[in-house]
Amino acid sequence: MTLPHQQNWIGKPVRRLEDARLLTGQGRFTDDIEVKHQAHAAFVRSPHAHARVVAVDAAAAREAPGVIAVLTGADAVADGLGSLPFFPLHKRPDGSPITAAPRLPLTADVARFVGDAVALVVAETSLAARDAAELVAVEWEPLPAVVDTDAAEAPGAPLVWPPAGSNLAAMYEFGDDSAVEKALAAARHRVKVRIVNNRVVSNPIEPRAAIGEYDAASGRYTLQCCSQGTHLVRKCLAEDVFKIPLDKLRVITPDVGGGFGTKVFPYPEYAAVLWAARRTGRPVKWLSDRSEAFLSDAQGRDNVSEAELGLDAEGRFTALRIRSSANIGAYISHYGSAVPAMAGARTPTGAYRIPLLRHEVRMLFTNTVSVDAYRGAGRPEMAYLIERVVDRAAMACGFDPVDLRRRNLIRRADMPFTNPVGTVYEPADFIKVLDEAAAAADWEGYPARKRAAEARGLLAGRGIAFYIEPTGSGNLTEAVNVSVGGDGVVRLQSGTQAMGQGLWTSYAQIVAERLGVSPESITLVQGDTGSIASGGGSGGSRSLQVGGGAVRAGADAWIEVARPLAAEALEAAAPDIEFGAGQFRIAGTDRSIGPFELAARQPDRRIGADGTYTADAQTYPNGCQVCEVEIDPDTGVVRLVRMVAVDDIGTVVNPLIVEGQLHGGVAQGVGQALLEECVYDRESGQLVTGSFQDYAMPRADDLPAFLSVFDQSSPSQSNALGAKGVGEAGPCGAAPAVVHAVIDALRSFGVDHVDMPVTREKVWRLLRRKPA
C-alpha cells in the first residue's frame, strides 16, 4: 500500500497498517512462538467450588510417558513463592486493610472456585502433559460454597476466606445519607430501581498463553505472554512472587488477539511457567483452551445495585442514592476490589445535575473465579444504573425520556462542572449531543415505523441512553523513542500495547504529520521490557490521549535533536534552521535536507530521540445512543433494527479506527444486554455456562448496521491531541439503550423492568405472564 504524500494526516481515514500482515497469517502470537528445548505445561484444577486439599498423589503422573515434573501448591510454598498483589484502593468498614486469600502460582491448602489450580504437570508435549494431569489424584474435603452476592452476606454464609471474618472484602462510601434521605422524602417523585448487572466472560479471540524461561547462570527469567502491558506484569511477578530485582525478569508480549481488560494484569499461570522453568531447567509453555479460559480468566461486571432518585414537580433531579453489592470472586485479581468503585465512582451522577448523592458499594468474596476489569471497568456499570433509574423515572412520572434528560443535563455554560464527588468535567455540550442523537435516529419519525411493525404483527420499542465516563486511567504519563533511519524507516518504541485497536496506524499518523513523512514508513515496536524502559500499557482508554501525546512529544523532540545535525549538513547555524513540510531548511533559502537523508549521513545511519509526556488530567468522553427493536410475540425474539450513537470523543485521529472501536464496544454492550450471562450453580458452585454451547456470544446477524456520528466540537483541553478515550464508550450506552427499547416494546403488557440479559426465553415468558 502506497499512501499519497501529504502533511495533514490527523483526521484522515487511513486503512490500518497492521491489517495486511495479520490477515495474511503473518501475525506472531504467543502460541506461534517455539523456544528451543521447550516443554509443555498442563494444570490440574479443582472440580469443586470449595474444598480442602487433603493430599495430592502425583506418583502415577510422574511415571507417565514424557513427563518431566509434577509440581504442587506445597512445592510453591516450600520454594517461598509469594502471592500476586492487588491494588488496595478500598478498605474494610472499620478502616482496616483488605485481607484476602494469597494468590500463589498453585493453591496449597484450599481450592476456592471450580478451576482453581492445585498442581502443574510439565511434559515433552502438550498432549502428554494433559494426559498425565488426569493421573494426578487429589484427595478433597468438600466445603460449603457461595457464588452470588445476595447469599454471600446471608447469615451463616460459608466464608471464602475465614480470616476476614465475613465475605465483605471492602466497602466504599460517599455522601451524607441523612441529607439524601431528607431530600428524597421531600421530593415530589421518588423512583427506585433494582438492577442486576450480569456477569460476563470477555472471551478474546486469542486465549491466554505463556512461555517461561530461566537462565541459571545469570539468574534471569524471561516470560513471553499475551498481555496489555509488559511492565505491570513484570513488576508484580518480580517484586511480589519471585522477590527479585526488576532487571532479573524480562517480559515480552508479541501480537495480542484482543484483551478487553482481561489481559491487563498477571495471572498465577504466568508465575507457574516461570517457576517450572527454574525447577526443570527447560523453557515451559502453556496455552489455555477455551474451556480453561471460561474457568480461569478474570470475568467482568456481576453486581446488584439499587438506585433511588428524587425529582421535583418540574422533573428536576434533587438527590440520588446508590447501593451496590459487587462480586469480586474468591481471590482478589489485580484491580478486582477497586473496579466496583473506581472509575465509575467518579461519575455516579452521570451527565446530570444532581446536587445530593449517597453512594455505597460492598465488595464481596464468593467461590467463583475472580472478577476484574472488563471493557469499561466500572464505567458501563455506572452508566447502566443511572440511565435505568432516569428512564424508570420518565416512565413512572409521565415524562418524555428525551425531555427529562434534556431538562437535567449539565449545561455548556456551567462547564467546567464539578459533580458531587469532586470530579471536574471538562467543557462539553451534552444537550447538543442529545439533540444530535435524536435527529440522527429520526426520533420524530418513530411512530410511523412503530405502526408499520405492528402491521406486521411485531412489537416495536425504542430506547435512549446518555453516558459520560472518565478515561486515561490513573497513569497519565508515557514515554517513547523515535528513531529515523537512513533506510527510510522511522522506528517508534512505545510502552503502550496494541491488541487489535490500531495503535500502529494512529501513532504513525501522528508521527507522519509532525515529521512530514508517510505513515507507511513508520514501524511500531512494543511489548518488551528488555528494550523499552517504561510503559503504562493499554487500558482505561489511555493509549491515544496519553500514549499518542507521548508520540507527538517524541516526534517534536526528534526535530530538536536533529536540528543541529541538519545545520552541520547544510553548513549553517542551528538557529537559522527551520523545519516544515518534512524538510530542514535554511530560513529564507531553498537549501534543505529531509529526515532520511540526514540520518543516512550519520555514523550509524540513525538519529534517535526520547519523548516523555504527561497529560494534564483524565478526559470525559460522552455520548448518546438510540436503539429501536422489533419483537416477535410468538417467539420472544428481539431484533435490533436501528442503533445510532453520537459520541463526543474530542479530536479523531483516524475515523475508520474510531468507528471500529465504537462498533466493537456497542456489540459487546448488545451482547451483555441480550445474550451473555455467566452462571454458576447456586448449590454446587459449578460453572454452568462453561462453553459456547451454553454461553451465547453476539453474532453478525444479532446486530444491525450501526450509525456512528462523531461530535468533535469539544476537543479535550487536557492533552496535546485534544483526544478523548473511545475504546470503552460503546458498551456504556449500548446496554441501557437496548434494555430501554425492549421495556418500551413490552409496556402494553405491564412490563416496566427487566434485567439483562433480555433473552428470547425471558421475553417470551414476560409476554405470557398473568397480570398481578
Side-chain angles (χ1 to χ4, degrees):
M1 176 175 62
T2 301
L3 299 173
H5 182 75
Q6 61 183 56
Q7 299 305 316
N8 300 319
W9 287 105
I10 291 179
K12 297 293 188 285
V14 176
R15 290 191 176 276
R16 297 191 351 157
L17 300 173
E18 41 275 87
D19 284 354
R21 185 176 64 88
L22 295 172
L23 294 174
T24 54
Q26 299 176 64
R28 189 169 184 264
F29 300 87
T30 303
D31 190 47
D32 293 322
I33 299 170
E34 298 289 328
V35 179
K36 188 176 182 180
H37 303 308
Q38 75 180 16
H40 296 263
F43 288 91
V44 178
R45 299 185 182 273
S46 171
H48 302 282
H50 200 193
R52 195 175 313 281
V53 180
V54 178
V56 178
D57 182 357
R62 289 190 175 99
E63 297 300 318
V67 170
I68 299 167
V70 179
L71 303 175
T72 68
D75 296 325
V77 172
D79 281 5
L81 300 183
S83 171
L84 284 172
F86 60 85
F87 180 41
L89 180 62
H90 304 298
K91 296 183 182 298
R92 293 164 58 81
D94 62 2
S96 61
I98 296 173
T99 178
R103 201 168 176 225
L104 298 172
L106 298 171
T107 294
D109 54 353
V110 176
R112 296 175 175 87
F113 68 94
V114 173
D116 205 353
V118 297
L120 170 67
V121 176
V122 180
E124 297 291 348
T125 68
S126 176
L127 287 177
R130 289 174 181 243
D131 287 346
E134 295 183 3
L135 299 177
V136 176
V138 182
E139 182 182 348
W140 302 100
E141 179 189 334
L143 301 170
V146 61
V147 298
D148 59 55
T149 57
D150 288 342
E153 290 204 282
L159 297 184
V160 177
W161 178 236
S166 74
N167 288 322
L168 179 60
M171 187 168 181
Y172 167 84
E173 295 181 278
F174 177 87
D176 186 336
D177 194 38
S178 61
V180 169
E181 175 57 35
K182 183 177 179 180
L184 290 172
R188 176 66 176 272
H189 306 284
R190 186 171 181 170
V191 180
K192 189 174 184 178
V193 65
R194 181 183 187 273
I195 66 101
V196 175
N197 208 296
N198 42 315
R199 178 185 279 236
V200 293
V201 182
S202 67
N203 282 315
I205 193 169
E206 178 203 19
R208 289 189 296 117
I211 304 170
E213 299 176 68
Y214 178 71
D215 179 58
S218 65
R220 294 182 184 275
Y221 297 82
T222 300
L223 174 69
Q224 300 185 74
C225 66
C226 46
S227 80
Q228 290 178 229
T230 54
H231 290 84
L232 175 64
V233 172
R234 179 181 68 166
K235 178 178 174 60
C236 295
L237 293 175
E239 293 182 349
D240 291 272
V241 177
F242 292 101
K243 303 161 190 173
I244 57 175
L246 290 178
D247 62 5
K248 291 292 186 179
L249 171 59
R250 179 184 181 187
V251 178
I252 301 170
T253 290
D255 288 323
V256 179
F260 311 125
T262 303
K263 296 177 182 176
V264 166
F265 30 78
Y267 283 83
E269 292 90 347
Y270 300 171
V273 295
L274 288 169
W275 172 49
R278 189 182 77 190
R279 288 285 298 255
T280 63
R282 297 271 297 274
V284 177
K285 181 178 184 177
W286 168 74
L287 172 67
S288 168
D289 61 24
R290 188 61 64 180
S291 295
E292 199 169 15
F294 271 99
L295 289 172
S296 62
D297 285 4
Q299 298 175 352
R301 314 294 190 235
D302 199 354
N303 52 62
V304 178
S305 300
E306 289 184 354
E308 195 167 9
L309 181 66
L311 301 84
D312 65 18
E314 286 73 40
R316 300 194 185 280
F317 303 153
T318 61
L320 174 67
R321 177 191 286 136
I322 297 170
R323 290 180 174 141
S324 296
S325 296
N327 190 339
I328 64 171
Y331 298 94
I332 301 182
S333 182
H334 193 80
Y335 295 111
S337 61
V339 163
M342 187 168 62
R346 299 190 188 108
T347 56
T349 51
Y352 305 107
R353 182 186 289 277
I354 305 177
L356 291 172
L357 169 72
R358 172 64 179 176
H359 189 190
E360 303 172 11
V361 184
R362 302 171 71 82
M363 298 79 166
L364 298 167
F365 292 123
T366 65
N367 293 112
T368 63
V369 72
S370 301
V371 178
D372 207 309
Y374 169 70
R375 200 164 192 166
R379 287 109 75 196
E381 294 95 312
M382 188 56 66
Y384 183 74
L385 179 61
I386 185 66
E387 284 302 301
R388 283 295 298 117
V389 74
V390 168
D391 220 64
R392 184 69 171 270
M395 180 183 291
C397 304
F399 294 107
D400 177 83
V402 174
D403 289 344
L404 183 62
R405 287 174 170 83
R406 184 184 291 111
R407 191 169 305 179
N408 288 281
L409 286 170
I410 301 161
R411 269 44 181 176
R412 176 76 183 231
D414 296 328
M415 299 284 189
F417 179 85
T418 303
N419 74 4
V421 299
T423 300
V424 179
Y425 293 172
E426 58 189 336
D429 197 334
F430 299 154
I431 293 177
K432 179 173 180 283
V433 169
L434 176 73
D435 291 342
E436 286 175 338
D442 186 23
W443 190 267
E444 299 302 322
Y446 170 73
R449 294 191 293 276
K450 179 179 175 70
R451 289 192 296 271
E454 291 171 344
R456 300 194 308 273
L458 302 173
L459 305 173
R462 67 176 172 182
I464 189 168
F466 206 97
Y467 79 90
I468 184 170
E469 57 159 346
T471 65
S473 82
N475 182 359
L476 297 177
T477 298
E478 198 60 62
V480 302
N481 177 269
V482 176
S483 178
V484 177
D487 56 357
V489 175
V490 179
R491 188 171 184 266
L492 171 65
Q493 287 185 306
S494 170
T496 59
Q497 182 63 52
M499 50 185 164
Q501 69 272 55
L503 290 189
W504 178 6
T505 306
S506 298
Y507 287 175
Q509 288 178 252
I510 297 168
V511 174
E513 180 153 312
R514 305 305 282 184
L515 299 188
V517 299
S518 171
E520 65 183 355
S521 70
I522 298 161
T523 185
L524 177 62
V525 178
Q526 296 180 300
D528 188 348
T529 61
S531 60
I532 300 170
S534 65
S538 291
S541 298
R542 71 183 297 271
S543 296
L544 184 63
Q545 56 188 298
V546 182
V551 169
R552 173 175 159 149
D556 290 346
W558 185 90
I559 293 172
E560 296 311 311
V561 167
R563 192 184 302 276
L565 300 177
E568 181 182 347
L570 296 172
E571 299 179 334
D576 294 332
I577 300 298
E578 59 186 18
F579 184 80
Q583 294 287 312
F584 289 101
R585 179 175 285 102
I586 302 175
T589 75
D590 61 356
R591 294 184 59 204
S592 65
I593 188 170
F596 298 124
E597 182 183 354
L598 181 62
R601 297 170 65 101
Q602 308 311 308
D604 60 355
R605 294 179 55 81
R606 184 164 293 280
I607 303 170
D610 295 322
T612 300
Y613 174 76
T614 300
D616 294 337
Q618 292 187 319
T619 64
Y620 291 86
N622 58 90
C624 185
Q625 292 191 29
V626 177
C627 174
E628 292 183 17
V629 301
E630 292 177 353
I631 298 176
D632 184 337
D634 295 327
T635 64
V637 171
V638 178
R639 188 169 72 92
L640 303 187
V641 296
R642 184 169 295 216
M643 200 80 192
V644 175
V646 175
D647 294 278
D648 167 11
I649 48 177
T651 300
V652 173
V653 171
N654 186 314
L656 285 179
I657 288 175
V658 167
E659 195 162 1
Q661 285 290 293
L662 289 169
H663 286 187
V666 169
Q668 285 182 273
V670 170
Q672 184 181 8
L674 296 180
L675 299 164
E676 299 182 53
E677 184 175 27
C678 181
V679 177
Y680 284 87
D681 182 81
R682 289 175 63 98
E683 298 299 323
S684 67
Q686 292 295 319
L687 179 63
V688 177
T689 52
S691 74
F692 288 140
Q693 286 186 308
D694 307 295
Y695 185 94
M697 295 280 284
R699 299 177 298 185
D701 59 356
D702 294 313
L703 305 169
F706 302 131
L707 173 60
S708 295
V709 179
F710 310 144
D711 185 317
Q712 299 187 65
S713 63
S714 302
S716 175
Q717 305 300 308
S718 299
N719 62 78
L721 296 173
K724 302 176 184 178
V726 67
E728 294 157 300
C732 288
V738 170
V739 171
H740 293 162
V742 172
I743 292 172
D744 183 54
L746 301 178
R747 285 183 68 176
S748 61
F749 291 82
V751 175
D752 62 1
H753 176 72
V754 60
D755 275 319
M756 301 185 291
V758 189
T759 62
R760 59 189 63 183
E761 179 187 352
K762 190 178 291 185
V763 172
W764 185 87
R765 292 186 182 280
L766 285 171
L767 290 170
R768 282 148 185 82
R769 184 178 61 182
K770 294 182 179 180

